Amino acid sequence: MSVMKAGHHGHALHLKQQLEQHLDSEDESCKVQANLNSAFQRRCPAYLDDIVQPLLNHCRDGLIVMDKSGELVWYSVHLASVFALSSDVTFEHILSSLPTPIEKFVRDYSVSVRQADGVGVRNFDLRTPSSAYNLVKGLGGSGNVRVCRFPLTVEGELYGSGFIVSDETQTIANRRDIELAMQVFSEGNQAIIITDNQHVITFVNRAFSDISGYQSAEVIGQHVSVFFDSDEKSYFGRQQLKHLARDHYWEGEIHSMSKERVRYLQWVNISAYPKHADKPSNYIVVFQDITESRRREKRIEKLAYYDTLTGCGNRLAMRKFSSQLIQNSQSKGTPSRFALLFIDIDGFKLINDTYGHDAGDKILKYLTRRINGITRRSDRLFRIGGDEFILFLIDAETSLTQSKAQQVIDVINRPFQLDRNAIATSISIGIVNYPEDGQELNSLLKHADAAMYKAKAVGKGTFEYCDTELLNKFSREFRIKKQLYTALQNQELQLHFMPQVSMSTGEVVSVEALIRWTNKEFGSLSPADSFLSPSAAE
């Protein structure tokens, strides 16, 4: 859609040159068109009029040329696209098809040009004021348009007026995005540092100053490690930069030192810019102070995994620890060994009843200190409830396990001094070994518990292993307990009556009812025999 009225071709070159003076200086395509036209003017002047219009039509802005009488001379194809005009609009109706503010702006300026014709060009305002509009662009939706106006002259004489119509919708949107990003950059609560490719700081935001205490003037021009803790500087140079060179990205924890010499922990993201360039021009460092959040995490973890009375790990912590221990062992070709000691205080209920629960709590705390005082750094002690403790001895052979168990017994045998009372107590220990006595925690605990009760049965204050006899006993009790659930349903229980006879009269005076269980695997069982034992009765 490009029309030039007959009779105006001779002025095309002059008009084009003046239009180009008002086009966006950053529009590289228009600069190219100007160079091309200059070449054509030198070599092919006869075809110049046919070249001018196609070149201008390739300019991204809409162009309008009016003569001094106010008549439309020419417009570029992009004028229609700026306002999403229909292709059916004729040359005569192109101006009236424009949005009303734009049409008025063009016609009013054309009138001013016509009125200035009599006073000469020198007296006419040759400046290029423009007007911006926020309007609906036909069928194309809402947008932003800027119209630049200027007079056109040919050989020093006023010819008419020119208009450049620019669709600035995307430009304004981009500018708003940049302004928003800059606001987030400046006002966000995450500290941001920009460095050059040598990691020298070129810019910091307000949050950086709030967190570190350093003002921008104090750090710009310094290496980014200037605000790291001195213990971290060598690590930063060796580790982070190595990752940046390979992956163009690094994130992790780094300790920093504030201007007031307060050490704090920060979570840092460092990325290269451009992202995948072989030689980045800049690096962007984003970090936040996580000191307080890490303290909260540790407090929560302590409440969840540690016994508040003794300070050692609780049952949940023991399960987590043992799970990692077993998993790491099973991932190796040769499983690692460890011993599990089930520790129970003998007669602890009597201590609570005699001296009170406060005294009992103190004994639990003193007992924990004594055991931790004789164990290795790799060993771990847990309180799993009441007066029961679990001690893991890592990579312990039989001799070391026995020696350590006896040490624990001996150190607890020394009386506990509570106020004026010297309270003597003892402990019983059941010992199992991984993986010989169990492949998972529950079976290890069960067997260790049985060994501990065996130690109590033989006299307390000693330790016992879970041996084959104990394992067989537990296996039998487990099978009996499992089959007892279906004994009634399978009609395996029989009721027997035993009469009680008077010795003097010989008469039956009462009957004792007895139950018997006839099982396919175990034969005839009496309650006393096994199936009403404490474990089965559970």
Side-chain angles (χ1 to χ4, degrees):
M1 186 184 291
S2 174
V3 179
M4 177 74 78
K5 279 189 175 182
H8 296 286
H9 292 286
H11 304 306
L13 174 61
H14 302 283
L15 302 182
K16 173 184 175 293
Q17 291 173 336
Q18 293 179 68
L19 286 171
E20 286 179 340
Q21 293 175 3
H22 300 280
L23 291 173
D24 186 355
S25 63
E26 296 181 357
D27 190 345
E28 295 297 331
S29 64
C30 288
K31 292 179 181 179
V32 171
Q33 293 162 19
N35 293 333
L36 286 173
N37 185 68
S38 178
F40 277 122
Q41 183 179 9
R42 291 193 304 270
R43 299 178 184 178
C44 314
Y47 300 101
L48 189 59
D49 290 348
D50 295 328
I51 295 171
V52 171
Q53 290 185 100
L55 288 176
L56 290 179
N57 279 329
H58 281 84
C59 179
R60 61 189 176 124
D61 295 322
L63 306 176
I64 301 174
V65 176
M66 306 281 287
D67 65 15
K68 61 184 177 182
S69 66
E71 292 295 320
L72 176 64
V73 176
W74 178 83
Y75 63 91
S76 67
V77 293
H78 286 290
L79 181 66
S81 63
V82 169
F83 296 105
L85 300 180
S86 171
S87 59
D88 298 331
V89 178
T90 62
F91 182 89
E92 289 75 14
H93 296 92
I94 193 69
L95 288 181
S96 60
S97 298
L98 300 178
T100 302
I102 305 297
E103 180 188 5
K104 185 176 186 301
F105 183 83
V106 171
R107 294 192 184 281
D108 287 350
Y109 188 69
S110 297
V111 171
S112 299
V113 170
R114 185 170 62 251
Q115 292 174 349
D117 185 35
V119 298
V121 177
R122 292 183 180 181
N123 297 323
F124 190 73
D125 186 3
L126 295 178
R127 293 174 299 172
T128 59
S130 62
S131 183
Y133 300 93
N134 189 344
L135 44 77
V136 176
K137 303 186 301 174
L139 301 177
S142 60
N144 300 92
V145 174
R146 178 175 294 278
V147 182
C148 178
R149 67 187 187 187
F150 49 90
L152 292 172
T153 60
V154 175
E155 298 177 354
E157 295 296 327
L158 186 63
Y159 172 80
S161 53
F163 302 87
I164 299 176
V165 183
S166 304
D167 183 354
E168 298 192 344
T169 305
Q170 189 60 48
T171 302
I172 292 175
N174 292 342
R175 187 183 303 126
R176 287 172 180 168
D177 289 343
I178 293 173
E179 290 173 352
L180 178 61
M182 287 303 299
Q183 184 173 353
V184 172
F185 182 89
S186 301
E187 304 299 329
N189 58 7
Q190 288 188 323
I192 301 177
I193 305 170
I194 296 179
T195 76
D196 61 16
N197 57 7
Q198 299 299 314
H199 305 282
V200 175
I201 299 173
T202 60
F203 187 87
V204 296
N205 68 344
R206 180 184 55 80
F208 168 84
S209 299
D210 293 342
I211 294 174
S212 69
Y214 289 101
Q215 298 303 311
S216 60
E218 298 177 277
V219 295
I220 289 178
Q222 302 289 329
H223 194 272
V224 70
S225 63
V226 69
F227 65 96
F228 292 149
D229 188 354
S230 58
D231 295 338
E232 300 280 355
K233 288 183 180 179
S234 60
Y235 176 81
F236 180 86
R238 185 174 63 256
Q239 297 294 332
Q240 283 89 333
L241 298 184
K242 179 180 178 181
H243 281 276
L244 280 174
R246 184 188 66 198
D247 304 328
H248 303 287
Y249 181 82
W250 182 88
E251 66 175 355
E253 294 180 357
I254 295 180
H255 282 94
S256 294
M257 189 72 71
S258 71
K259 185 178 180 181
E260 290 75 24
R261 311 306 298 166
V262 177
R263 198 166 186 257
Y264 63 95
L265 182 65
Q266 58 186 13
W267 182 262
V268 183
N269 301 83
I270 308 175
S271 56
Y273 178 85
K275 189 173 183 180
H276 299 295
D278 292 335
K279 294 182 178 180
S281 61
N282 298 90
Y283 290 94
I284 302 171
V285 183
V286 181
F287 72 87
Q288 56 184 337
D289 185 353
I290 61 171
T291 308
E292 188 55 38
S293 62
R294 184 52 52 86
R295 287 173 183 164
R296 287 196 300 268
E297 289 175 5
K298 289 183 177 180
R299 286 196 294 267
I300 294 172
E301 181 181 6
K302 188 172 183 179
L303 291 173
Y305 290 100
Y306 290 88
D307 176 45
T308 56
L309 178 63
T310 63
C312 59
N314 58 17
R315 181 180 291 271
L316 185 62
M318 179 202 66
R319 290 195 173 277
K320 182 178 180 181
F321 175 80
S322 63
S323 176
Q324 293 174 345
L325 202 61
I326 293 173
Q327 184 178 355
N328 292 340
S329 175
Q330 292 175 346
S331 64
K332 299 178 181 177
T334 304
S336 302
R337 291 173 51 86
F338 65 84
L340 186 152
L341 280 61
F342 197 121
I343 303 171
D344 184 85
I345 302 176
D346 300 324
F348 188 69
K349 183 178 183 301
L350 181 61
I351 294 175
N352 277 331
D353 293 342
T354 304
Y355 298 101
H357 287 278
D358 287 343
D361 288 346
K362 289 181 181 179
I363 286 180
L364 291 174
K365 290 192 287 187
Y366 295 157
L367 178 145
T368 301
R369 292 176 189 173
R370 289 186 182 183
I371 295 177
N372 282 331
I374 61 171
T375 54
R376 303 168 301 171
R377 292 183 63 180
S378 60
D379 303 331
R380 290 287 301 273
L381 179 67
F382 300 91
R383 182 189 176 203
I384 62 172
D387 59 343
E388 295 178 337
F389 292 80
I390 299 294
L391 176 63
F392 286 86
L393 302 178
I394 311 301
D395 294 326
E397 298 296 334
T398 302
S399 59
L400 175 61
T401 300
Q402 292 178 350
S403 172
K404 191 61 65 177
Q406 191 59 53
Q407 277 186 276
V408 172
I409 290 172
D410 293 341
V411 78
I412 301 304
N413 281 342
R414 299 201 311 264
F416 293 95
Q417 190 67 38
L418 301 181
D419 298 328
R420 298 180 180 179
N421 300 310
I423 302 176
T425 187
S426 64
I427 57 174
S428 297
I429 302 177
I431 304 175
V432 292
N433 290 308
Y434 174 86
E436 296 89 343
D437 298 325
Q439 299 290 323
E440 44 86 28
L441 179 63
N442 288 337
S443 61
L444 290 172
L445 288 176
K446 185 176 182 179
H447 297 157
D449 184 52
M452 183 270 295
Y453 277 106
K454 181 181 178 181
K456 287 183 179 292
V458 299
K460 301 179 182 180
T462 186
F463 65 85
E464 289 288 341
Y465 279 90
C466 182
D467 53 22
T468 304
E469 181 182 350
L470 269 178
L471 290 176
N472 291 337
K473 178 184 175 183
F474 263 98
S475 176
R476 184 174 189 274
E477 286 187 358
F478 176 77
R479 297 199 311 274
I480 288 174
K481 182 178 179 181
K482 182 178 180 181
Q483 296 186 39
L484 185 59
Y485 285 113
T486 59
L488 184 61
Q489 180 182 351
N490 296 336
Q491 297 182 349
E492 295 178 355
L493 301 177
Q494 297 91 33
L495 191 61
H496 296 261
F497 296 96
M498 180 180 293
Q500 294 182 342
V501 180
S502 172
M503 295 296 292
S504 59
T505 65
E507 296 179 351
V508 176
V509 295
S510 62
V511 177
E512 181 180 355
L514 304 173
I515 193 166
R516 294 290 184 270
W517 177 19
T518 303
N519 180 265
K520 293 179 181 180
E521 180 181 354
F522 302 106
S524 181
L525 300 171
S526 68
D529 187 16
S530 60
F531 75 84
L532 286 184
S533 64
S535 62
E538 292 178 358

